[in-house]
Amino acid sequence: MKDSYQVPKYVLLWILISIIVPSLNNTTSILNAGIPSNLVLNVNDHFRNDNDAVSRNFKMEKLQDVSLNCNTQYAWTNAEFNNVSSSVTDNVFSILPPCLGSVSNVANVANVDDTDFASINITGIGCNATISVKDNDAADTYSAGTYAGFKISSAGLLNGSIGSSVTISTYNNGSFVESITPITSGIGLNSSLLNSDNTATVGFVTTQDFDEVRITYETLVGVLFTAQVYHAVIESYCEGPALSCNELTSMTKPSYPVLINSENTGITGIACVGCSISDTENIINADANDYASINLTAALGTSASIAVEDALTIYNGGTYAGFEVFNANLLGLDLLNTITITTSLNGVEQESKSGANLLGVGSGILTGGESAIIGFETMLDYNEVSIEIVNIAGIDLGETRIYRMVTQLFCEYEYECGEEKFLTNPDNSVYINADNSGVTGGVCIACEVDNTNALLTEDNTDFAQINVTAGVVSESSISVKDAITDYPSGSTIGFVIEDENDLLQAELFSTLTICTYLEGEQQECSSVGSLLDLALTTNLIGTGSGVYNLGFTTSLPYDEVQLNVGSLASVINVI
């Protein structure tokens, strides 16, 4: 026979919010407390274009019966296209300034093997070498808004050892169109953006049509400089689908025209031996298991950033923006306090949040058990989101994994008078508020809050779990906030729970408290003596032993509800 003081078997608890909205006389909206009548949201209202941006009607020709997919990078070679040629337009040699060298194997740049390359050798300062790649079909013009660039070797181009500037130029029908110089005497390649073979892609999003792209090297040192040019690169950007209401959307290719913004990606601060950012492109690919890695050693004040930009779409204020992250060495606020998330619009910073001001919509951030999504509800428009990790303690932070950038559009649910509703996504604009969730009140090794995202799904077999060790002063909490709706006083709020410990109701209820909040300020709390096992029309998981619809009727308006779980005297409280 088991000792009654041993840890009980694993307990399942469904925690879902139930709202009972009372009928109100002489009102046009049952939820009009603090909600303007024009706040009903439309998906299209939150997904607009920048009036100053280039045409969104991108057209890429079908060549060799191959249709180019949107938001997919292509090697601009004869493997995917026809009648593409490569040539040398500046072959290094000059008398003034004195320049020696050559460009060899230029045909490799356009052939069917994208691992082949042309070689450049230059000796002399201010000497040039230029390679051109052109589509020779007269009908083939590539629209403004198409990315154009080259895949090149990184040797001699990294910060601290820049041997040459690099300029990318576009032409149309032989006439110069536009150019950028991504590598200069003061700006080298960002090592964070290198491929595993130490190559990099340099280029830009064009603003005018083109049919030719050129790369020009101009040496900055008098010693021998060498370079390899593999092939030209093009990518047709197309807008992604409209955001779905109240569902997290991963901003990844090929669904969305996203890219890593190299200007806002990298490591800053004092010299940091062993600090690195790697595999940044993994954030924007479609594999949910891929991730970029940020490693910060014990260099105090060193920071690392990764920025994801949408090339076409501006997202309105009011949407949620964030990243999925994981760090096995840091838990809860220890991790949050190292992170800042910033939004920008066309290169201009808009808003920034850090620490406890970041809102979680996943789970592991609270206890360190798994990856979690953190970010914030924006107020201003944006088309770029960056995450920065700062070593504020001077200790080795280890590896932080960044899996993806996410966006969520919040849409209002229209209630009917007297409606009974379980708050779930995608119906409701609710999310887990990390600021009011987690373990508080002291050190508690076995205390945890897990699988909080299950709280918001429509699957009634999903459940979140809270563990509180016996006899501790710590308390574990989970809080759900509505991004749009303020609920009126007189409505009934609560959680559906299932207790398999066979505890007496009074003993269980004595450890539980439910609190409401409005705009971050606590409104009221209900605990033993005032908490009720509510009689609902629809019972989410039945009416068996240990199942409770736990809640109370509010006397103040609110937009957030929190469940707090304390400890039992002799056994782990598993909720």
Side-chain angles (χ1 to χ4, degrees):
M1 181 175 182
K2 285 187 177 181
D3 189 318
S4 60
Y5 291 95
Q6 289 182 341
V7 177
K9 64 181 179 179
Y10 203 73
V11 179
L12 304 184
L13 168 65
W14 285 259
I15 310 176
L16 287 169
I17 300 176
S18 171
I19 299 287
I20 303 176
V21 182
S23 299
L24 301 178
N25 295 325
N26 302 318
T27 60
T28 57
S29 172
I30 191 62
L31 294 177
N32 63 355
I35 309 175
S37 60
N38 63 351
L39 197 57
V40 177
L41 300 185
N42 184 302
V43 173
N44 294 325
D45 292 339
H46 268 259
F47 203 84
R48 65 172 174 81
N49 297 329
D50 179 5
N51 293 330
D52 296 327
V54 296
S55 168
R56 308 308 189 208
N57 299 317
F58 295 102
K59 183 182 177 213
M60 301 292 285
E61 301 291 338
K62 288 186 177 181
L63 306 175
Q64 294 184 327
D65 296 322
V66 175
S67 293
L68 296 186
N69 296 319
C70 285
N71 308 318
T72 301
Q73 197 171 90
Y74 284 88
W76 200 20
T77 69
N78 287 299
E80 295 282 356
F81 305 85
N82 58 12
N83 210 7
V84 174
S85 64
S86 53
S87 62
V88 178
T89 60
D90 192 332
N91 199 26
V92 182
F93 179 80
S94 85
I95 297 175
L96 290 175
C99 299
L100 297 174
S102 64
V103 179
S104 59
N105 299 319
V106 70
N108 288 348
V109 175
N111 73 17
V112 297
D113 187 349
D114 62 10
T115 65
D116 282 349
F117 55 84
S119 297
I120 296 174
N121 298 279
I122 306 174
T123 301
I125 299 177
C127 304
N128 296 328
T130 301
I131 293 176
S132 166
V133 174
K134 182 178 181 180
D135 190 321
N136 295 291
D137 286 337
D140 292 342
T141 298
Y142 297 84
S143 301
T146 303
Y147 179 90
F150 282 86
K151 180 182 177 181
I152 61 176
S153 61
S154 62
L157 300 176
L158 296 174
N159 285 317
S161 60
I162 306 171
S164 173
S165 66
V166 175
T167 298
I168 308 296
S169 307
T170 58
Y171 288 73
N172 198 12
N173 295 323
S175 298
F176 171 78
V177 178
E178 57 186 326
S179 68
I180 67 162
T181 304
I183 300 172
T184 67
S185 60
I187 303 174
L189 275 176
N190 188 335
S191 61
S192 305
L193 302 178
L194 298 184
N195 301 315
S196 58
D197 59 359
N198 289 321
T199 61
T201 299
V202 293
F204 65 105
V205 179
T206 60
T207 63
Q208 299 181 61
D209 297 352
F210 67 95
D211 63 7
E212 179 183 356
V213 184
R214 299 183 186 182
I215 182 169
T216 298
Y217 290 83
E218 182 173 343
T219 53
L220 304 170
V221 295
V223 298
L224 175 66
F225 171 81
T226 63
Q228 292 79 44
V229 178
Y230 287 81
H231 52 75
V233 171
I234 58 173
E235 182 171 353
S236 173
Y237 290 125
C238 309
E239 286 187 345
L243 299 177
S244 299
C245 280
N246 304 319
E247 292 185 337
L248 278 173
T249 299
S250 297
M251 306 306 293
T252 57
K253 293 181 178 183
S255 296
Y256 292 90
V258 288
L259 53 94
I260 301 297
N261 186 328
S262 59
E263 293 184 3
N264 295 324
T265 298
I267 296 174
T268 59
I270 61 176
C272 181
V273 177
C275 294
S276 65
I277 301 176
S278 59
D279 300 318
T280 54
E281 291 290 327
N282 287 349
I283 296 176
I284 56 176
N285 73 25
D287 188 339
N289 295 315
D290 276 353
Y291 55 85
S293 293
I294 295 177
N295 285 279
L296 291 181
T297 57
L300 179 65
T302 300
S303 66
S305 302
I306 300 176
V308 177
E309 179 183 359
D310 191 303
L312 300 180
T313 306
I314 291 176
Y315 298 89
N316 278 20
T319 58
Y320 178 94
F323 289 87
E324 182 181 3
V325 302
F326 173 77
N327 187 306
N329 299 322
L330 299 174
L331 308 181
L333 283 177
D334 290 334
L335 177 57
L336 284 176
N337 286 334
T338 69
I339 292 177
T340 298
I341 293 178
T342 302
T343 60
S344 299
L345 178 63
N346 297 329
V348 178
E349 183 175 322
Q350 298 292 89
E351 312 174 70
S352 186
K353 302 283 186 181
S354 59
N357 292 315
L358 294 171
L359 308 174
V361 294
S363 51
I365 194 70
L366 306 178
T367 59
E370 54 192 39
S371 68
I373 293 170
I374 57 172
F376 63 94
E377 183 184 351
T378 62
M379 298 180 62
L380 303 174
D381 298 353
Y382 65 94
N383 61 356
E384 179 183 329
V385 185
S386 64
I387 181 169
E388 179 186 32
I389 299 176
V390 181
N391 192 331
I392 58 177
I395 61 173
D396 190 342
L397 301 183
E399 179 192 43
T400 301
R401 297 178 179 179
I402 314 296
Y403 285 88
R404 55 180 173 141
M405 179 259 190
V406 297
T407 296
Q408 182 167 334
L409 172 65
F410 294 120
C411 304
E412 185 178 17
Y413 179 84
E414 296 184 4
Y415 287 89
E416 297 180 0
C417 291
E419 180 178 0
E420 182 180 285
K421 180 73 172 67
F422 296 102
L423 299 189
T424 60
N425 297 142
D427 279 355
N428 302 100
S429 50
V430 289
Y431 60 87
I432 302 300
N433 184 356
D435 196 21
N436 287 332
S437 302
V439 180
T440 58
V443 177
C444 182
I445 296 175
C447 298
E448 58 184 349
V449 182
D450 280 339
N451 202 29
T452 59
N453 231 18
L455 208 67
L456 308 180
T457 72
E458 294 180 307
D459 187 347
N460 62 6
T461 65
D462 280 351
F463 59 91
Q465 180 167 303
I466 296 176
N467 294 330
V468 183
T469 304
V472 299
V473 297
S474 297
E475 186 174 70
S476 294
S477 305
I478 189 167
S479 194
V480 177
K481 180 177 172 61
D482 196 305
I484 296 176
T485 304
D486 293 346
Y487 296 92
S489 60
S491 60
T492 301
I493 185 72
F495 292 83
V496 179
I497 67 174
E498 181 178 15
D499 173 29
E500 294 187 359
N501 273 335
D502 294 326
L503 295 174
L504 295 176
Q505 178 174 313
E507 184 179 9
L508 173 65
F509 282 21
S510 69
T511 68
L512 306 178
T513 303
I514 294 178
C515 297
T516 59
Y517 292 78
L518 182 64
E519 301 297 335
E521 298 294 328
Q522 189 177 98
Q523 295 292 87
E524 57 187 323
C525 294
S526 180
S527 56
V528 62
S530 56
L531 284 175
L532 302 174
D533 184 11
L534 304 170
L536 301 181
T537 303
T538 301
N539 289 292
L540 183 71
I541 56 173
T543 58
S545 175
V547 176
Y548 301 100
N549 302 312
L550 188 68
F552 70 103
T553 300
T554 62
S555 61
L556 295 170
Y558 59 96
D559 62 8
E560 181 178 348
V561 60
Q562 177 190 54
L563 175 65
N564 303 291
V565 180
S567 68
L568 294 164
S570 57
V571 295
I572 291 179
N573 198 3
V574 185
I575 299 295

